[in-house]
Structures are given as C-alpha cells and as structure tokens.
C-alpha cells in the first residue's frame, strides 16, 4: 500500500513503509524481525541486550539495530550505555538521521545546548542538513522537527519553536513527536511568562502611603516641587505638557510629593 505524500519547504515527505530501505537496506530475513525487536527495545528487558548485540555483529551495516539498542539501554535505565551507543552510531553511520537525533537528545538532557546546532545545522532545516535529498520519511521529519522545537524551547527562542510547532501540527498532529514537542513548547512558554512576571514585579514601584484620617483640611501641603500644585488646578483635562513636565522631575522627591497629594485628597 502506498503511503501518504506531503511537500514542505522544497522537499517531499513520505509515509511509505519501505522508503527507509532505499537509504539503509535491511535484509528481508531481518526485516521480518523488526517489529518484534522494536517492541523488545520499548519494553526495556535486560535479557534482550545479548540478542541485539548478536544481530549487530551479524548485520553491522544496519543502523536501526544500534538505534534500537540505544533505546533498549535507555529503557533499562542505563543512560551511560545508551549514550555510548549513540556515539557509536554517529561514528559508523554519520548520515543516519536518527543517530543524530539520539545525540541531540543526549545534549538536551545534559543541557549542552550550544552543541546542538553542530548536529542539526545552524538553521535547523532538514533540507539544509541533507541538501542532496529531496524526500524524507515521515518519522525522519517528525523526529527532526521535535528536537529542533525542543532546542528552541530550551534556549528561549519561542518564535522559532512556534513556527515549527505549526508546521508539525499541520503534517502530523497525531504523532507522538508532535505531542512531545508541544509539551516542551508549553513548558518553555510558561517559564517565560513567569520570568516576565517576576521581572515586572521587581520593577514595580511599591509605595508605602502613610495612614491618614478624613477631615476638613483646606491648606495645601508644602511640596518639594512647585509644579505639583498644577495638579490642584485641573481635572482630567490637564494639559499633556504639564504631565510630561511633572514626570520629568527627580524620581524620589516626585514620589514623596505625589504621596502628599494622595494623603491630602483623602484628608
């Protein structure tokens, strides 16, 4: 059955199952085991490690086996061995995208964000990373987009992250990669909002107004700045130039005078 076809930024995306075989051929006898191997990696059973190692020795040119082994180690809680396999994939299969993505995942985990553009490219564009290719598998596309979004979210470039979120949502809204990327984006967005709120709170002027009692006071207070008296002459129709002149007064003494105005209005 022919998979779906998409077109994005000058290249095509296919969901054709056998497409990856054209890039990294898998022998038929091994292909029949792939689904079972994938499930074994996801389950993270320690007993499956020997099976993967034997298969890798038998099929050293098939990078997906090492990719599954990395996932298996990660799912058994052995991050160190998973990262070791990631570097093994990069050294033996430098063009294998999923090996690059595994490495990016490692850098994100270790907060080594500055290393990620060296792996995914300065502009985080799939076509620019593989200029000789015109077609990518849907899993390549969603994986690449997920990690580029996670990178931009981690470094605080939410504009770039959002652009990629929109593209990924249009092409693969139900994919696990989109859901993971969306969580990372929302988390970064919330953190940025909290940071802006904290910064605004730090800049906010906190003024302690002395307690006053209402009465029949008729005399104007003594102000440091005589310009403040203009506030007693006008209502909301006060001239803009008067306001600008008052705002330009020295900050601390201006605040002190304005507190007097507030207290006087209450009294």
């Amino acid at each position: 059955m022919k998979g779906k076809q998409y077109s994005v930024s000058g290249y095509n995306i296919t969901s054709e199952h056998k497409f990856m075989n054209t890039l990294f051929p898998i022998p038929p006898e091994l292909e029949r085991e792939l689904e079972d191997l994938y499930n074994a990696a996801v389950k993270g059973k320690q007993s499956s490690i020997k099976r993967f190692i034997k298969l890798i020795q038998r099929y050293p040119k098939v990078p997906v086996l090492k990719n599954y082994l990395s996932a298996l180690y990660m799912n058994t809680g052995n991050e160190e061995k998973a990262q070791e396999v990631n570097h093994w994939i990069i050294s033996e299969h430098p063009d294998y995208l999923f090996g690059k993505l595994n490495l990016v995942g490692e850098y994100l985990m270790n907060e080594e964000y500055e290393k990620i553009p060296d792996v995914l490219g300065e502009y985080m564009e799939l076509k620019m990373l593989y200029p000789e290719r015109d077609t990518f598998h849907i899993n390549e596309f969603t994986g690449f987009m997920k990690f580029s979004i996670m990178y931009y979210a981690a470094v605080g470039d939410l504009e770039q992250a959002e652009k990629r979120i929109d593209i990924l949502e249009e092409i693969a809204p139900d994919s696990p990669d989109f859901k993971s990327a969306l969580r990372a984006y929302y988390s970064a967005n919330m953190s940025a909002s909290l940071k802006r709120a904290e910064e605004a709170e730090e800049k906010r002027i906190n003024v302690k107004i002395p307690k006053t009692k209402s009465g029949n006071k008729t005399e104007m207070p003594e102000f440091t700045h005589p310009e403040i008296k203009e506030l007693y002459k006008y209502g909301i129709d006060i001239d803009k130039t008067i306001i600008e002149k008052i705002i330009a007064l020295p900050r601390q003494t201006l605040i002190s005078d304005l507190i007097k105005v507030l207290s006087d209005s209450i009294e």
Side-chain angles (χ1 to χ4, degrees), residues 58 66 192:
R58 185 177 176 184
K66 301 183 184 74

Side-chain angles (χ1 to χ4, degrees), residues 62-267:
V62 180
V64 69
L65 291 173
K66 301 183 184 74
N67 189 32
Y68 286 176
L69 179 60
S70 172
L72 175 59
Y73 276 127
M74 186 64 72
N75 290 328
T76 59
N78 195 336
E79 293 180 9
E80 184 176 349
K81 288 296 291 184
Q83 292 179 6
E84 183 180 311
V85 174
N86 292 342
H87 290 267
W88 182 20
I89 296 172
I90 291 291
S91 64
E92 292 198 355
H93 312 281
D95 293 330
Y96 184 59
L97 177 59
F98 295 108
K100 295 178 186 291
L101 298 182
N102 288 347
L103 187 60
V104 170
E106 175 186 328
Y107 290 155
L108 284 168
M109 186 183 303
N110 297 332
E111 297 184 1
E112 297 175 308
Y113 308 131
E114 72 284 354
K115 295 182 179 180
I116 294 175
D118 291 336
V119 182
L120 298 185
E122 180 182 359
Y123 300 103
M124 303 283 161
E125 293 290 345
L126 192 53
K127 176 64 177 176
M128 295 183 75
L129 188 63
Y130 294 97
E132 74 285 358
R133 290 179 58 182
D134 295 318
T135 304
F136 297 89
H137 192 268
I138 185 69
N139 292 339
E140 291 182 297
F141 170 76
T142 61
F144 184 89
M145 293 296 282
K146 177 185 77 171
F147 281 110
S148 63
I149 290 165
M150 286 181 167
Y151 164 74
Y152 281 122
V155 299
D157 192 341
L158 297 181
E159 182 180 353
Q160 289 297 330
E162 185 175 2
K163 287 179 181 178
R164 287 159 176 79
I165 281 285
D166 291 341
I167 296 171
L168 186 52
E169 183 176 20
E170 181 181 352
I171 301 298
D174 298 322
S175 70
D177 286 332
F178 171 68
K179 294 171 184 177
S180 296
L182 196 60
R183 284 194 295 270
Y185 172 73
Y186 281 153
S187 177
N189 211 347
M190 184 176 294
S191 296
S193 296
L194 288 173
K195 185 178 180 180
R196 287 194 298 269
E198 289 172 358
E199 290 174 349
E201 180 64 22
E202 289 176 0
K203 294 178 181 178
R204 190 165 66 90
I205 300 173
N206 293 312
V207 178
K208 291 184 178 180
I209 300 177
K211 292 183 178 180
T212 58
K213 295 181 180 180
S214 60
N216 298 313
K217 185 178 177 184
T218 57
E219 294 181 4
M220 188 183 299
E222 292 185 8
F223 298 116
T224 302
H225 303 288
E227 293 88 346
I228 298 296
K229 295 179 181 179
E230 296 294 316
L231 296 176
Y232 285 77
K233 298 179 181 179
Y234 302 96
I236 60 173
D237 59 337
I238 188 169
D239 192 274
K240 182 180 178 182
T241 56
I242 298 175
I243 294 295
E244 291 175 346
K245 187 177 181 181
I246 291 174
I247 290 174
L249 295 171
R251 180 183 175 84
Q252 292 302 320
T253 50
L254 172 60
I255 290 174
S256 178
D257 279 351
L258 291 175
I259 290 173
K260 291 178 182 179
V261 172
L262 288 172
S263 298
D264 188 41
S265 69
I266 295 172
E267 294 180 8

